[in-house]
Amino acid sequence: MNYASYIFLIPLLPLAGFALLGLFGKKYFNESSGIIATVLILVSTLLSLYTAYNYFIAEGIINGAYPSITAFHTSWLSFSKNLSIDIGILIDPISVMMLIVVTFISLMVHIFSLGYMKGEKRFATYYAFLSLFTFSMLGLIISSNLFQIYIFWELVGVSSFLLIGFYFDKPSAVAASKKAFIVTRFADLGFLIGILLLGYYGESFEFSTLIRQLTDVQSSQSIAITTGTFAGISILTWGLILIFIGGAGKSALFPLHIWLPDAMEGPTPVSALIHAATMVVAGVFLVARLFPIFSLSEIALSVITVVGLSSTFIAAVIACTQTDIKRVLAYSTMSQIGFMMFALGMTGTENTLGYTASLFHLFTHAFFKSLLFLCAGTIIHFIHSNEISAMGGLKKYIPLTHLTFLIACLAIAGIPPFAGFFSKEEILLAAYNSNKLVFGIALLTSGITAFYMFRLYFSIFYNKQMEIQNPHSEGSFSIKFPLVVLAICSIVVGFIPFGNFVAADNKILESHLDFRFSFAPVVIGGLSILLAMYFYKNENDKPNKVASFWGKIYQAAFRKFYVDELYIFITKKIIFNFIGRPAAWIDKNIVDGLVNETARTIEKFSYMIKGIQSGKVQHYLLYFFGGIISLLIVFVYLWK
Amino acid sequence: MNEVPLTHILVLSTALFFIGMFGLFTRRNMITILMSVELILNSVNINFVAFNKYLFPEKLDGVFFVLFIIAIAAAEAALAIAIIINLYRNHQSIDVDDATEMKF
């Protein structure tokens, strides 16, 4: 099958939308910009589904595994015969899976925004940015080499920056967008160094070449990278950990997570698309993409496991204490990404269930988490506040949102038969098979997850009964439609036999659900839901009592374990005083001083010689002939 | 017929050149300055023709050069007169010492 004939259209259609709306949108089609962008992304979605059909069903398995196809490849910057930066399109199971996720969620968000952002002054700009983001994300997932992925990596970063700061007249949104950009950019420094290390030793940036050369223990590249060490750790491990730092920054893993909760300043559909379903899982995607290389280094995998697991647990605890609905969802996203990460970290060479489980969770999480955010969008739209305390008893006002929110909560809590159950079960099973301690923490965290999600659910839809005067409707068709579609997806996507499509070695992974094993997680999830119901179903002071009982710990969790304060301390007290100020002094006195002194000298000299310019033509003539005669003397008599 | 020796012609052209030079430096009237420039150009023309005739009599390069210089001198005169007219419109005079706005 010749994918090259249409595959490049998938990212380029949103790019065309961006160019069109970005350049002419405001002037010519402010009203129709939403429709234009939505139609373009719809075509992209259909093409992605067609690609998936061709890849998985029509072509299917060749020689026992799904092939990795380079649909398009061209050399962009060639430095030497061996080293060049290329542009290519790589099609393999994970990129096809991600194509579906990104285009589909993006389509849903585009449709939702038609109603949600209606009447916005910068409507066309909004859609231009959304298209730019979709283009960059699609480019990221079909990249065929490390440098190309890095380019798109920065592009999604900048589109995320633009969308978080969409309401740029709000100082908090501006601060949040800057924070997101700076933190992820800082992490990307690690990513870049990692790319250069792997590229230098592996002698290629191309994924396929890199993986082939580094996994072959006989090859010179593999020997060079594993025998070279720095500070007692091999270069391979250093490179992988640095790349993982980039991934952790983008995926908001502890301790680089601080930008994600603040990023909720952006419009809610943006949070659903970028900060829940697609961009934040780029880190997971990156690790999965380089997984054959990651699996060579035990240390790198342990780092991934530890970071993933600690993010999962910390975020879940913080989520229980937050009062802003979008912040709770943000921490829950961070927690779920932690799940995906440590599942990858625990994948060994023998037992590859974790890899499939991680990507399966990525897949299901995209649907129910974007659904949660879109529901949060309609709730915020209805109540005009983000705070849980301003909500309560909304069940009778917004029944459809209530139903879809419930479905999404059940899915994320891991209750069968909703999507989250299947993927989380596989992660827990993978954890159980490799490390009992990890399994214990993961099980506890999935209980906490169920608790805080239903805390949110009961606080919004039950609890105190609010009397709303003249409630407006839930929203137009374009708001309701994506909710229903995503709710259906949240129910059914769990039944996809994911192991048949995505596995570490591109073959088929047979996974059986063992119902005796799933007993414990489901019971814990159910108990947590009952606990949340006990606390939050009716208005009472039990939550406050418990909070004061936990005292300091509750405070610490409420203040997000003081990570933000720590960052501020480091930047303001240490970096500003010891690096920033000396650098500023050097800049002001030495760099500026040099330039100013040059200018001053020239000024003085100019004053001295300005008398020559007398305004009399004959004077100038005299200088002219004087010059010619002196040149004559020099060249004819002195220059021998 | 006795040929005129080369030195005579060179003396003539040198004299013309310095007369032109003198006019250029001492005159204040733009039209006189222009005439002086033409004198200098013509002294060069005489040199070209003389050298061509005495050193390379079988060639015509010097003569062609002279033709070019005459053409350029004509163009230059047109330009100079345009400048002079503009100067007159602005200053009601064609004295170069009256146009001193471009000094420091």
Side-chain angles (χ1 to χ4, degrees), chain B residues 59-85:
Chain B
K59 289 183 176 173
L60 286 173
D61 298 22
V63 179
F64 281 118
F65 246 108
V66 168
L67 286 177
F68 276 110
I69 291 174
I70 289 170
I72 287 171
E76 182 233 328
L79 267 179
I81 287 167
I83 292 170
I84 292 167
I85 290 169

mmCIF file of all heavy atoms in Angstrom, chain B residues 59-85:
data_model
loop_
_atom_site.group_PDB
_atom_site.id
_atom_site.type_symbol
_atom_site.label_atom_id
_atom_site.label_comp_id
_atom_site.label_asym_id
_atom_site.label_seq_id
_atom_site.Cartn_x
_atom_site.Cartn_y
_atom_site.Cartn_z
ATOM 1 N N LYS B 59 46.411 51.635 -35.401
ATOM 2 C CA LYS B 59 45.188 51.336 -34.646
ATOM 3 C C LYS B 59 44.324 52.574 -34.501
ATOM 4 O O LYS B 59 44.769 53.686 -34.787
ATOM 5 C CB LYS B 59 45.545 50.808 -33.255
ATOM 6 C CG LYS B 59 46.125 49.421 -33.272
ATOM 7 C CD LYS B 59 46.368 48.964 -31.844
ATOM 8 C CE LYS B 59 46.871 47.528 -31.842
ATOM 9 N NZ LYS B 59 47.254 47.164 -30.487
ATOM 10 N N LEU B 60 43.065 52.347 -34.000
ATOM 11 C CA LEU B 60 42.135 53.469 -33.867
ATOM 12 C C LEU B 60 41.573 53.603 -32.451
ATOM 13 O O LEU B 60 40.633 54.354 -32.222
ATOM 14 C CB LEU B 60 40.970 53.298 -34.848
ATOM 15 C CG LEU B 60 41.309 53.563 -36.310
ATOM 16 C CD1 LEU B 60 40.144 53.202 -37.185
ATOM 17 C CD2 LEU B 60 41.704 55.014 -36.512
ATOM 18 N N ASP B 61 42.147 52.875 -31.480
ATOM 19 C CA ASP B 61 41.581 52.824 -30.122
ATOM 20 C C ASP B 61 41.440 54.210 -29.515
ATOM 21 O O ASP B 61 40.402 54.577 -28.962
ATOM 22 C CB ASP B 61 42.475 51.985 -29.190
ATOM 23 C CG ASP B 61 42.572 50.569 -29.660
ATOM 24 O OD1 ASP B 61 42.331 50.357 -30.862
ATOM 25 O OD2 ASP B 61 42.860 49.685 -28.837
ATOM 26 N N GLY B 62 42.495 55.004 -29.625
ATOM 27 C CA GLY B 62 42.494 56.335 -29.004
ATOM 28 C C GLY B 62 41.390 57.196 -29.576
ATOM 29 O O GLY B 62 40.688 57.896 -28.838
ATOM 30 N N VAL B 63 41.180 57.081 -30.897
ATOM 31 C CA VAL B 63 40.153 57.900 -31.533
ATOM 32 C C VAL B 63 38.769 57.530 -31.014
ATOM 33 O O VAL B 63 37.934 58.393 -30.715
ATOM 34 C CB VAL B 63 40.243 57.737 -33.063
ATOM 35 C CG1 VAL B 63 39.172 58.564 -33.738
ATOM 36 C CG2 VAL B 63 41.625 58.126 -33.547
ATOM 37 N N PHE B 64 38.555 56.221 -30.871
ATOM 38 C CA PHE B 64 37.245 55.797 -30.350
ATOM 39 C C PHE B 64 37.023 56.278 -28.927
ATOM 40 O O PHE B 64 35.932 56.698 -28.561
ATOM 41 C CB PHE B 64 37.116 54.282 -30.433
ATOM 42 C CG PHE B 64 36.777 53.829 -31.812
ATOM 43 C CD1 PHE B 64 37.620 53.012 -32.534
ATOM 44 C CD2 PHE B 64 35.581 54.254 -32.400
ATOM 45 C CE1 PHE B 64 37.295 52.624 -33.813
ATOM 46 C CE2 PHE B 64 35.266 53.863 -33.673
ATOM 47 C CZ PHE B 64 36.112 53.044 -34.389
ATOM 48 N N PHE B 65 38.101 56.253 -28.159
ATOM 49 C CA PHE B 65 38.002 56.751 -26.787
ATOM 50 C C PHE B 65 37.543 58.197 -26.788
ATOM 51 O O PHE B 65 36.667 58.603 -26.032
ATOM 52 C CB PHE B 65 39.363 56.638 -26.090
ATOM 53 C CG PHE B 65 39.356 55.658 -24.968
ATOM 54 C CD1 PHE B 65 39.999 54.443 -25.073
ATOM 55 C CD2 PHE B 65 38.674 55.975 -23.796
ATOM 56 C CE1 PHE B 65 39.962 53.544 -24.048
ATOM 57 C CE2 PHE B 65 38.643 55.070 -22.773
ATOM 58 C CZ PHE B 65 39.286 53.852 -22.902
ATOM 59 N N VAL B 66 38.121 58.934 -27.683
ATOM 60 C CA VAL B 66 37.781 60.356 -27.770
ATOM 61 C C VAL B 66 36.302 60.523 -28.095
ATOM 62 O O VAL B 66 35.599 61.347 -27.500
ATOM 63 C CB VAL B 66 38.663 61.038 -28.826
ATOM 64 C CG1 VAL B 66 38.135 62.427 -29.138
ATOM 65 C CG2 VAL B 66 40.086 61.107 -28.331
ATOM 66 N N LEU B 67 35.811 59.665 -29.017
ATOM 67 C CA LEU B 67 34.390 59.773 -29.359
ATOM 68 C C LEU B 67 33.518 59.541 -28.123
ATOM 69 O O LEU B 67 32.552 60.269 -27.872
ATOM 70 C CB LEU B 67 34.041 58.766 -30.450
ATOM 71 C CG LEU B 67 34.556 59.136 -31.847
ATOM 72 C CD1 LEU B 67 34.232 58.048 -32.837
ATOM 73 C CD2 LEU B 67 33.932 60.455 -32.278
ATOM 74 N N PHE B 68 33.901 58.524 -27.359
ATOM 75 C CA PHE B 68 33.131 58.239 -26.137
ATOM 76 C C PHE B 68 33.163 59.421 -25.181
ATOM 77 O O PHE B 68 32.161 59.811 -24.596
ATOM 78 C CB PHE B 68 33.680 57.000 -25.439
ATOM 79 C CG PHE B 68 33.125 55.731 -26.011
ATOM 80 C CD1 PHE B 68 33.919 54.875 -26.752
ATOM 81 C CD2 PHE B 68 31.780 55.411 -25.819
ATOM 82 C CE1 PHE B 68 33.401 53.722 -27.286
ATOM 83 C CE2 PHE B 68 31.267 54.249 -26.349
ATOM 84 C CZ PHE B 68 32.072 53.406 -27.090
ATOM 85 N N ILE B 69 34.375 60.001 -25.026
ATOM 86 C CA ILE B 69 34.502 61.094 -24.064
ATOM 87 C C ILE B 69 33.655 62.274 -24.495
ATOM 88 O O ILE B 69 32.990 62.913 -23.674
ATOM 89 C CB ILE B 69 35.984 61.498 -23.910
ATOM 90 C CG1 ILE B 69 36.738 60.374 -23.202
ATOM 91 C CG2 ILE B 69 36.106 62.780 -23.090
ATOM 92 C CD1 ILE B 69 38.213 60.583 -23.123
ATOM 93 N N ILE B 70 33.603 62.516 -25.811
ATOM 94 C CA ILE B 70 32.791 63.636 -26.293
ATOM 95 C C ILE B 70 31.321 63.384 -25.976
ATOM 96 O O ILE B 70 30.607 64.273 -25.488
ATOM 97 C CB ILE B 70 33.003 63.839 -27.805
ATOM 98 C CG1 ILE B 70 34.406 64.392 -28.054
ATOM 99 C CG2 ILE B 70 31.966 64.790 -28.388
ATOM 100 C CD1 ILE B 70 34.805 64.410 -29.501
ATOM 101 N N ALA B 71 30.906 62.117 -26.193
ATOM 102 C CA ALA B 71 29.505 61.793 -25.901
ATOM 103 C C ALA B 71 29.198 62.006 -24.430
ATOM 104 O O ALA B 71 28.183 62.619 -24.050
ATOM 105 C CB ALA B 71 29.223 60.350 -26.301
ATOM 106 N N ILE B 72 30.107 61.519 -23.578
ATOM 107 C CA ILE B 72 29.873 61.653 -22.136
ATOM 108 C C ILE B 72 29.905 63.106 -21.718
ATOM 109 O O ILE B 72 29.117 63.562 -20.885
ATOM 110 C CB ILE B 72 30.895 60.817 -21.361
ATOM 111 C CG1 ILE B 72 30.535 59.339 -21.523
ATOM 112 C CG2 ILE B 72 30.920 61.184 -19.891
ATOM 113 C CD1 ILE B 72 31.552 58.409 -21.006
ATOM 114 N N ALA B 73 30.802 63.874 -22.333
ATOM 115 C CA ALA B 73 30.893 65.290 -21.988
ATOM 116 C C ALA B 73 29.597 65.996 -22.340
ATOM 117 O O ALA B 73 29.117 66.857 -21.586
ATOM 118 C CB ALA B 73 32.061 65.929 -22.724
ATOM 119 N N ALA B 74 28.972 65.581 -23.461
ATOM 120 C CA ALA B 74 27.701 66.194 -23.836
ATOM 121 C C ALA B 74 26.643 65.907 -22.781
ATOM 122 O O ALA B 74 25.924 66.807 -22.316
ATOM 123 C CB ALA B 74 27.259 65.663 -25.202
ATOM 124 N N ALA B 75 26.591 64.607 -22.359
ATOM 125 C CA ALA B 75 25.618 64.230 -21.334
ATOM 126 C C ALA B 75 25.869 65.012 -20.057
ATOM 127 O O ALA B 75 24.942 65.508 -19.403
ATOM 128 C CB ALA B 75 25.701 62.735 -21.077
ATOM 129 N N GLU B 76 27.133 65.110 -19.702
ATOM 130 C CA GLU B 76 27.511 65.782 -18.468
ATOM 131 C C GLU B 76 27.120 67.252 -18.515
ATOM 132 O O GLU B 76 26.625 67.813 -17.531
ATOM 133 C CB GLU B 76 29.018 65.627 -18.275
ATOM 134 C CG GLU B 76 29.560 66.221 -17.024
ATOM 135 C CD GLU B 76 30.696 67.163 -17.331
ATOM 136 O OE1 GLU B 76 31.422 66.921 -18.308
ATOM 137 O OE2 GLU B 76 30.819 68.166 -16.620
ATOM 138 N N ALA B 77 27.278 67.856 -19.684
ATOM 139 C CA ALA B 77 26.902 69.260 -19.820
ATOM 140 C C ALA B 77 25.408 69.422 -19.603
ATOM 141 O O ALA B 77 24.966 70.349 -18.905
ATOM 142 C CB ALA B 77 27.293 69.765 -21.203
ATOM 143 N N ALA B 78 24.614 68.480 -20.168
ATOM 144 C CA ALA B 78 23.164 68.559 -19.982
ATOM 145 C C ALA B 78 22.819 68.502 -18.506
ATOM 146 O O ALA B 78 22.044 69.308 -17.972
ATOM 147 C CB ALA B 78 22.494 67.425 -20.738
ATOM 148 N N LEU B 79 23.439 67.526 -17.808
ATOM 149 C CA LEU B 79 23.191 67.373 -16.369
ATOM 150 C C LEU B 79 23.580 68.633 -15.620
ATOM 151 O O LEU B 79 22.832 69.134 -14.783
ATOM 152 C CB LEU B 79 24.029 66.224 -15.830
ATOM 153 C CG LEU B 79 23.372 64.859 -15.788
ATOM 154 C CD1 LEU B 79 24.375 63.868 -15.241
ATOM 155 C CD2 LEU B 79 22.156 64.935 -14.887
ATOM 156 N N ALA B 80 24.785 69.142 -15.933
ATOM 157 C CA ALA B 80 25.297 70.297 -15.200
ATOM 158 C C ALA B 80 24.384 71.487 -15.396
ATOM 159 O O ALA B 80 24.081 72.209 -14.436
ATOM 160 C CB ALA B 80 26.714 70.609 -15.670
ATOM 161 N N ILE B 81 23.874 71.648 -16.629
ATOM 162 C CA ILE B 81 22.995 72.792 -16.863
ATOM 163 C C ILE B 81 21.696 72.625 -16.087
ATOM 164 O O ILE B 81 21.158 73.584 -15.510
ATOM 165 C CB ILE B 81 22.767 72.969 -18.376
ATOM 166 C CG1 ILE B 81 24.061 73.521 -18.971
ATOM 167 C CG2 ILE B 81 21.632 73.924 -18.658
ATOM 168 C CD1 ILE B 81 24.119 73.477 -20.463
ATOM 169 N N ALA B 82 21.201 71.360 -16.006
ATOM 170 C CA ALA B 82 20.002 71.120 -15.200
ATOM 171 C C ALA B 82 20.241 71.513 -13.751
ATOM 172 O O ALA B 82 19.412 72.162 -13.098
ATOM 173 C CB ALA B 82 19.601 69.660 -15.293
ATOM 174 N N ILE B 83 21.418 71.129 -13.236
ATOM 175 C CA ILE B 83 21.748 71.479 -11.851
ATOM 176 C C ILE B 83 21.810 72.990 -11.697
ATOM 177 O O ILE B 83 21.295 73.564 -10.728
ATOM 178 C CB ILE B 83 23.085 70.836 -11.432
ATOM 179 C CG1 ILE B 83 22.929 69.319 -11.347
ATOM 180 C CG2 ILE B 83 23.567 71.377 -10.102
ATOM 181 C CD1 ILE B 83 24.221 68.582 -11.173
ATOM 182 N N ILE B 84 22.406 73.633 -12.680
ATOM 183 C CA ILE B 84 22.555 75.092 -12.593
ATOM 184 C C ILE B 84 21.182 75.755 -12.558
ATOM 185 O O ILE B 84 20.927 76.664 -11.762
ATOM 186 C CB ILE B 84 23.392 75.614 -13.772
ATOM 187 C CG1 ILE B 84 24.833 75.139 -13.625
ATOM 188 C CG2 ILE B 84 23.353 77.128 -13.851
ATOM 189 C CD1 ILE B 84 25.662 75.318 -14.865
ATOM 190 N N ILE B 85 20.256 75.245 -13.400
ATOM 191 C CA ILE B 85 18.915 75.842 -13.426
ATOM 192 C C ILE B 85 18.246 75.689 -12.067
ATOM 193 O O ILE B 85 17.652 76.628 -11.515
ATOM 194 C CB ILE B 85 18.077 75.207 -14.544
ATOM 195 C CG1 ILE B 85 18.612 75.664 -15.903
ATOM 196 C CG2 ILE B 85 16.617 75.591 -14.414
ATOM 197 C CD1 ILE B 85 18.039 74.900 -17.050
#
